[in-house]
Structure formats: structure tokens, C-alpha cells
């Protein structure tokens, strides 16, 4: 099959005649020429993948006080409080490259986040080797790649392949944990920003939402990624980015600070004119397989995957 570019895939999606998507229990019909009005959504003739159509009305809001139910961590229950609408991301593809395969991180554990992504409409491919990842990245089938780091890079071409993917518009969700399980994230960020990743802090605590609290110990601030989350588990054994210059700190921005007063989640949002994709670094990947049911984890991971698409620019 002939591979198409991410841009071409987006155009093909926009030109499709009608796509039916289940949104909050109702069938949403999307058509370039004519779209049925949905409460809280724009009626303009923009492409069907616009953020107004793909995001819930609470997008960007953490402190939700009028939900009918809250979980035991104080976060509102119900997928209407997620960033992305159910089914709204059909036609978008995520590549998950899982290089770490240690304690309890098996296929069954990885299937849980994959299933959560599919609820939003994403198609997901799961690979476990750098060679497979390089091949898939070059196929131009994916808008986003998850990179789950381990302790050693096997293929010397991996970082250049990942850099090329990012430079051509691919978004990347970087997952690291305690040193030495940081290699893939650290080497990529070193190439991109001059930033390295290191550390072995035993966390196990919960970060809380605080207005403008991005860089305050044990807090996170306003960001679309934290939609519907007031309490978020920080991870167990966690690392942190080490910024080599003030410029790198400005470009690669902390949005959550762990209880050791180090950045635990950081993002790169390229300028509107840039062809690069977005980036997100998570410094405690045990969230994916041991702590999926901890405070806010599942919502945060899926929210971040939706935000990475930069769908408002598509």
C-alpha cells in the first residue's frame, strides 16, 4: 500500500463526505459542505477535525464544581469531563513504541491505555523494538508517537528517525522513569533542546491543581492536558529534565512540578508557523501499567494524546 503523508491524510479526512461519530451518546454527522448543529459547538464551515468539534465544552478547565459525581480522588467522573470527545479522533493514528519491558509491563497492561485511546477514535499500533519503530515512523501513517524509554538505545539511527518524524509534524509523547530508564527521552531532548533527563526520586504522592501553579512544588496549573483533573498521581520512581540554558527552559515548559520540586510533566508547543509537532514529557511511566487507576492518570494520558495532535491547526 502506498504511504501517504500526515498532511495528505488530514486532507483526505477533511474531504470525506460524511463520517458518523458517537459523541456523548448522540450520533454526530460530520460533512465538509453541511454539518448538523450540536449544542456548544460552532456552526462554521471549518474542517470537521476542528478543536470546537473534537473537544468537550470543559476543555482547559480543571476545577469543575458542578459535576454530579466525583471519584475517590476528587476528580469528576464521566467522559464529558475529558478534553476530547468520544469518537472524535477517528482517522488519527498513534504509534506506541514500548522499549521498556520490565516488571509487570506486559501486553495485557499496555492494552488498557490502548483501549482508552480507542474510545476517542484513535487507531493504535504497538511495537516493541527500535527497528519496528523506525520503519513505522517512516511510513507517514502516524500523527503521534509514544516513546517509552528504557536503559539503552540499540540502533544508532533511532534518534535521527525520531527527529525527522517530529520535524515533519509528528507529535511525540515521551515517557521516562528513574535513571537509567530515560535513554530514549533524554537523547531526543538533548538533540532537540540540549536537555537531559535524570533522577530517581521515590514519589508516590499526588499533585494538586493550583491556579498558575505549574512551577510550585506538588502542583500543576492550567493546561488543556489537565482538563477535568484536580488531583494527579505523580508516579513512583520518577526522573526530571535538566535544563542546560534559560532558552531551553523557555521552549520546553514545565506544566507540573513533583513533590521533590522538579518538573515532572513538561511540554513543547511550537510556534503557529512551525512545521514541528508538539511534545510532552512524562517523568514517571509507571502510570501506564501500575498506577493507571491512581488519581487522574487515565484522563491525563488520554487528554495529553488529544492535545498533542494540535488539532486546532488542522
Amino acid at each position: 500500500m502506498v504511504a501517504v503523508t500526515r498532511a495528505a491524510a488530514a486532507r483526505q479526512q477533511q474531504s470525506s463526505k460524511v463520517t458518523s461519530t458517537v459523541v456523548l451518546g448522540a450520533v454526530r454527522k460530520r460533512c465538509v459542505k453541511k454539518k448538523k448543529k450540536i449544542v456548544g459547538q460552532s456552526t462554521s464551515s471549518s474542517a470537521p477535525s476542528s478543536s470546537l468539534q473534537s473537544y468537550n465544552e470543559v476543555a482547559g478547565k480543571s476545577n469543575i464544581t458542578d459535576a454530579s459525581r466525583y471519584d475517590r480522588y476528587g476528580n469528576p467522573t464521566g467522559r464529558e469531563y475529558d478534553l476530547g470527545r468520544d469518537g472524535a479522533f477517528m482517522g488519527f493514528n498513534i504509534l506506541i513504541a514500548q522499549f521498556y519491558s520490565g516488571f509487570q509491563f506486559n501486553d495485557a497492561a499496555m492494552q488498557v491505555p490502548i483501549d482508552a485511546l480507542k474510545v476517542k477514535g484513535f487507531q493504535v499500533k504497538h511495537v516493541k523494538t527500535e527497528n519496528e519503530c523506525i520503519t513505522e515512523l517512516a511510513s507517514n501513517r502516524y500523527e503521534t508517537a509514544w516513546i517509552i524509554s528504557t536503559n539503552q538505545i540499540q540502533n544508532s539511527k533511532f534518534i535521527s528517525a525520531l527527529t525527522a518524524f517530529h520535524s515533519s509534524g509528528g507529535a511525540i509523547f515521551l515517557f521516562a522513569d528513574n535513571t537509567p530508564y530515560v535513554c530514549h527521552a533524554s537523547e531526543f531532548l538533548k538533540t532537540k533542546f540540549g536537555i537531559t533527563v535524570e533522577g530517581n526520586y521515590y514519589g508516590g504522592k499526588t499533585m494538586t491543581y493550583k491556579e498558575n501553579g505549574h512551577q510550585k512544588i506538588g502542583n500543576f496549573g492550567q493546561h488543556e492536558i489537565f482538563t477535568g483533573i484536580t488531583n494527579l498521581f505523580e508516579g513512583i520512581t520518577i526522573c526530571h529534565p535538566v535544563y542546560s540554558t534559560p532558552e531551553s527552559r523557555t521552549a520546553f515548559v514545565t506544566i507540573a512540578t513533583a513533590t521533590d520540586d522538579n518538573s515532572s510533566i513538561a511540554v513543547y508547543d511550537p510556534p503557529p508557523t512551525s512545521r514541528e509537532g508538539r511534545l510532552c514529557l512524562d517523568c514517571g511511566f509507571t502510570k501506564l501499567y501500575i498506577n493507571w487507576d491512581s488519581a487522574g492518570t487515565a484522563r491525563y494520558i488520554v487528554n495529553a494524546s488529544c492535545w498533542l495532535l494540535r488539532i486546532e491547526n488542522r
Side-chain angles (χ1 to χ4, degrees), residues 62-63 71-76 81-82 173 175 201 203-210 213-214 216-236 238 254-260 262-267 280-288 291-305:
S62 291
N63 190 24
D71 63 21
R72 60 193 176 109
Y73 303 109
N75 295 317
Y81 301 113
D82 298 345
F173 203 163
F175 289 92
Y201 168 62
K205 299 179 180 64
T206 299
M207 299 180 291
T208 57
Y209 167 75
K210 187 173 185 178
H214 305 80
K216 296 180 180 179
I217 185 169
N219 292 124
F220 55 91
Q222 301 97 328
H223 198 281
E224 287 92 342
I225 285 175
F226 302 129
T227 297
I229 303 170
T230 54
N231 295 286
L232 179 62
F233 184 70
E234 66 181 345
I236 299 176
I238 55 179
T254 295
I255 61 172
T257 300
T259 54
D260 67 343
N262 281 307
S263 174
S264 67
I265 303 172
V267 298
C280 181
L281 169 69
D282 183 277
C283 292
F285 64 46
T286 58
K287 297 179 183 73
L288 292 174
N291 309 116
W292 184 258
D293 294 323
S294 295
T297 294
R299 177 169 286 157
Y300 149 68
I301 294 293
V302 177
N303 282 357
S305 298

Side-chain angles (χ1 to χ4, degrees), residues 230-249:
T230 54
N231 295 286
L232 179 62
F233 184 70
E234 66 181 345
I236 299 176
T237 50
I238 55 179
C239 56
H240 60 269
V242 178
Y243 296 89
S244 60
T245 64
E247 291 77 16
S248 64
R249 190 181 293 273

Side-chain angles (χ1 to χ4, degrees), residues 17-309:
K17 293 183 179 179
V18 178
T19 302
S20 297
T21 305
V22 178
V23 178
L24 301 178
V27 175
R28 182 185 65 177
K29 292 187 176 180
R30 303 186 296 176
C31 181
V32 173
K33 294 184 178 179
K34 183 178 180 181
K35 292 191 283 289
K36 186 177 180 180
K37 183 177 180 181
I38 299 171
V39 175
Q41 293 187 3
S42 171
T43 58
S44 69
S45 59
S46 59
S49 58
S50 70
S51 59
L52 287 176
Q53 294 175 315
S54 300
Y55 287 173
N56 281 308
E57 293 180 1
V58 297
K61 185 177 180 180
S62 291
N63 190 24
I64 296 170
T65 59
D66 57 353
S68 58
R69 293 182 58 192
Y70 296 84
D71 63 21
R72 60 193 176 109
Y73 303 109
N75 295 317
T77 58
R79 291 200 293 269
E80 66 269 29
Y81 301 113
D82 298 345
L83 174 61
R85 296 180 186 269
D86 287 3
F89 297 87
M90 294 178 65
F92 292 105
N93 298 277
I94 295 177
L95 174 66
I96 297 180
Q98 178 196 341
F99 302 133
Y100 177 80
S101 59
F103 177 66
Q104 295 185 14
F105 204 0
N106 52 32
D107 288 349
M110 194 70 252
Q111 191 60 44
V112 177
I114 289 173
D115 288 343
L117 292 171
K118 288 181 176 180
V119 169
K120 300 303 177 188
F122 290 108
Q123 297 297 311
V124 183
K125 173 81 171 181
H126 179 205
V127 301
K128 296 183 180 179
T129 70
E130 292 168 5
N131 289 343
E132 289 177 291
C133 183
I134 290 170
T135 298
E136 295 295 334
L137 289 175
S139 73
N140 290 325
R141 286 194 293 267
Y142 304 94
E143 289 78 25
T144 305
W146 287 18
I147 305 297
I148 304 172
S149 304
T150 190
N151 60 345
Q152 186 177 6
I153 294 177
Q154 302 287 336
N155 190 324
S156 61
K157 297 180 181 178
F158 176 78
I159 295 301
S160 60
L162 189 59
T163 302
F165 173 78
H166 176 251
S167 296
S168 64
I172 304 175
F173 203 163
L174 297 165
F175 289 92
D177 208 66
N178 60 285
T179 303
Y181 305 111
V182 301
C183 284
H184 295 78
S186 188
E187 285 300 315
F188 173 78
L189 291 175
K190 182 178 178 181
T191 300
K192 174 67 187 177
F193 298 106
I195 295 170
T196 55
V197 181
E198 61 182 48
N200 188 5
Y201 168 62
Y202 192 90
K205 299 179 180 64
T206 299
M207 299 180 291
T208 57
Y209 167 75
K210 187 173 185 178
E211 188 175 359
N212 299 317
H214 305 80
Q215 296 184 347
K216 296 180 180 179
I217 185 169
N219 292 124
F220 55 91
Q222 301 97 328
H223 198 281
E224 287 92 342
I225 285 175
F226 302 129
T227 297
I229 303 170
T230 54
N231 295 286
L232 179 62
F233 184 70
E234 66 181 345
I236 299 176
T237 50
I238 55 179
C239 56
H240 60 269
V242 178
Y243 296 89
S244 60
T245 64
E247 291 77 16
S248 64
R249 190 181 293 273
T250 300
F252 197 63
V253 179
T254 295
I255 61 172
T257 300
T259 54
D260 67 343
D261 204 16
N262 281 307
S263 174
S264 67
I265 303 172
V267 298
Y268 171 67
D269 196 357
T273 56
S274 173
R275 294 183 65 244
E276 295 175 320
R278 283 175 169 168
L279 301 173
C280 181
L281 169 69
D282 183 277
C283 292
F285 64 46
T286 58
K287 297 179 183 73
L288 292 174
Y289 67 103
I290 296 178
N291 309 116
W292 184 258
D293 294 323
S294 295
T297 294
R299 177 169 286 157
Y300 149 68
I301 294 293
V302 177
N303 282 357
S305 298
C306 294
W307 175 82
L308 280 166
L309 267 179

